[in-house]
Amino acid sequence: MTILFQVDKFLFMDISAEIKKVTDPIYQKISNTVPEIEWTTHAPYIYKINKLKKKKNAVILAHNYQTPEIYHGISDFSADSLALAVEAAKTEADIIVMCGVHFMAETAKLMSPDKKVLLPDMSAGCSLSSSITGEDVRKLKKQYPGVPVVSYVNTSADVKAETDVCCTSANAVKIVNSMNSKKVIFLPDDYLAKYVASQTDVEIISWKGTCEVHEQFNDEEINEIRKNNPGIKIIAHPECPEEILRHAEHIGSTSSLLKYTENSGSSSFIVATEPHIIHQMKKRAPQKEFIIAPGNDGSCSCSKCPFMELNTMEKLLHCLENNTPSIYMDSVLMKSAKKPLIKMLEMS
Ligand code: 13P
Ligand code: SF4
């Protein structure tokens, strides 16, 4: 491949006829979100990654916050974290590449322990996951003896190992209601805990974790947009603070938000979740309008997840070529951390 010239981070390449033939049909699907000039950088990677994926019997799972080139160019399955966990459990591939963050890759490894699970960038963490340790959970259990622990899937394997049942944003209320307990310790997202508490009679003991992306949305700015756009609907992920959720017409997991915008009779939406999801919303409903909810700094830039963005085509190709970096956990930890995930799937 010949590099013709470089502007900013983009290398403009001479795409061979073969690459063009294979990748043009993919580009047609996303030409309204990815400029053609950017595509020339992605296409050679997409071509190579897809070839390598077949050769190695690998599957690429992508979270709903991934870029259009990952989502449409190379992923085999894209969804919210619940569906990614289910897919990881049933795949017949030898290698799982997780285009998401570390807890998603760990979950995939727990669901499919015999498979190699690759994460393109091991520093793709999550502010919720890093807010709590297994030791913190052990202390809480001593403080509230006999109270069951429900942990959000956005946690490390150490935390899962101390947990009775995991949950995701798609099933949190259902799982808490199914615990048959008047009190539940719900970790680590304080805002999701408050949302669950508002939907159930169960007393919730929460932890002070937050998502550094969803806690940034500003309700005054959002309401200002609403005032100027009659009929616009606010949609929000339950990791948002109460003052955002209070105004939302629809609250749900990333997949639920996508479905809502596709099926709703409304033609415009303020989106209070990570804005990379909007390319899919536009693809499913091209005639509708989507406005990113503004953050506390008055802009929309704080709402991008810095961890999800670490997955790039270059890193993806590198990890598939070299089978690294891969997820490793010792077998004792894996056995304990898997149990609450299995229980969650049984109860969902
Ligand atoms: P979903 O389970 O709704 O996809 O959310 C995962 C996440 O990390 C949202 O910030
Ligand atoms: Fe974690 Fe928030 Fe990023 Fe989701 S958006 S991965 S909860 S930091």
Side-chain angles (χ1 to χ4, degrees):
M1 176 200 321
T2 324
I3 295 173
L4 294 178
F5 58 96
Q6 180 167 4
V7 179
D8 295 332
K9 64 179 177 145
F10 298 114
L11 303 172
F12 295 96
M13 305 191 183
D14 174 16
I15 304 178
S16 76
E18 163 75 359
I19 296 177
K20 198 168 160 36
K21 195 175 110 201
V22 173
T23 59
D24 262 5
I26 302 171
Y27 185 57
Q28 294 321 313
K29 291 195 235 163
I30 51 171
S31 55
N32 61 343
T33 41
V34 179
E36 198 168 356
I37 201 151
E38 248 183 61
W39 184 250
T40 57
T41 322
H42 301 312
Y45 285 108
I46 290 172
Y47 177 82
K48 278 193 183 176
I49 290 167
N50 283 336
K51 263 192 139 176
L52 207 51
K53 193 172 75 173
K54 265 199 198 136
K55 192 173 149 199
K56 293 193 155 185
N57 190 26
V59 67
I60 299 184
L61 307 184
H63 184 259
N64 282 328
Y65 292 158
Q66 294 300 299
T67 56
E69 60 277 11
I70 290 181
Y71 194 91
H72 297 286
I74 53 163
S75 89
D76 299 289
F77 183 80
S78 314
D80 62 10
S81 43
L82 177 62
L84 289 178
V86 173
E87 190 61 24
K90 65 181 191 206
T91 182
E92 283 176 4
D94 297 317
I95 299 174
I96 299 172
V97 184
M98 181 57 73
C99 292
V101 292
H102 192 269
F103 76 81
M104 293 175 179
E106 243 181 22
T107 301
K109 181 72 181 172
L110 292 169
M111 299 313 296
S112 274
D114 300 332
K115 315 238 143 122
K116 188 168 261 306
V117 176
L118 303 173
L119 180 67
D121 189 322
M122 278 291 166
S123 56
C126 167
S127 64
L128 280 170
S129 182
S130 60
S131 72
I132 190 160
T133 62
E135 183 53 28
D136 293 326
V137 189
R138 282 191 286 277
K139 282 186 192 155
L140 275 170
K141 290 203 285 193
K142 270 194 195 144
Q143 204 181 333
Y144 300 99
V147 179
V149 178
V150 174
S151 293
Y152 197 27
V153 75
N154 298 38
T155 44
S156 64
D158 284 343
V159 168
K160 288 187 176 81
E162 298 294 336
T163 293
D164 292 296
V165 187
C166 283
C167 74
T168 72
S169 59
N171 59 19
V173 175
K174 189 174 178 192
I175 298 283
V176 166
N177 278 333
S178 312
M179 296 304 290
N180 291 324
S181 175
K182 284 187 180 153
K183 253 189 213 177
V184 163
I185 300 171
F186 187 95
L187 311 167
D189 187 347
D190 195 31
Y191 292 128
L192 180 61
K194 287 196 168 86
Y195 172 68
V196 171
S198 75
Q199 305 292 306
T200 164
D201 293 332
V202 178
E203 186 188 331
I204 303 288
I205 297 155
S206 71
W207 183 254
K208 289 283 171 218
T210 53
C211 161
E212 66 178 56
V213 173
H214 290 87
E215 71 177 345
Q216 297 285 343
F217 294 119
N218 182 292
D219 62 322
E220 283 172 20
E221 302 266 356
I222 291 175
N223 283 327
E224 202 51 37
I225 299 178
R226 164 113 80 189
K227 259 193 239 153
N228 300 325
N229 294 273
I232 199 163
K233 296 273 189 273
I234 298 172
I235 58 165
H237 195 277
E239 289 169 10
C240 290
E242 279 168 297
E243 62 268 22
I244 306 295
L245 299 182
R246 200 183 308 137
H247 302 292
E249 271 80 25
H250 183 73
I251 298 166
S253 76
T254 52
S255 289
S256 163
L257 297 179
L258 266 171
K259 215 164 155 192
Y260 179 79
T261 54
E262 189 178 3
N263 299 331
S264 156
S266 297
S267 59
S268 55
F269 305 87
I270 301 172
V271 182
T273 195
E274 215 275 355
H276 279 106
I277 200 169
I278 291 179
H279 70 82
Q280 291 180 67
M281 292 177 172
K282 276 193 186 149
K283 181 153 184 357
R284 292 178 189 205
Q287 74 289 3
K288 297 187 182 177
E289 196 198 346
F290 302 94
I291 299 176
I292 304 171
N296 286 325
D297 66 353
S299 83
C300 299
S301 55
C302 57
S303 56
K304 286 190 183 156
C305 175
F307 308 110
M308 289 280 179
E309 282 192 321
L310 290 172
N311 296 308
T312 62
M313 286 291 173
E314 250 174 308
K315 289 181 206 167
L316 262 154
L317 179 59
H318 179 270
C319 86
L320 255 181
E321 275 174 345
N322 301 290
N323 283 357
T324 186
S326 73
I327 300 289
Y328 172 80
M329 282 168 275
D330 79 58
S331 55
V332 179
L333 173 66
M334 282 181 81
K335 214 172 153 208
S336 317
K338 185 175 180 167
K339 280 185 198 156
L341 283 168
I342 298 296
K343 271 200 192 152
M344 168 181 81
L345 297 182
E346 285 166 2
M347 287 164 77
S348 291

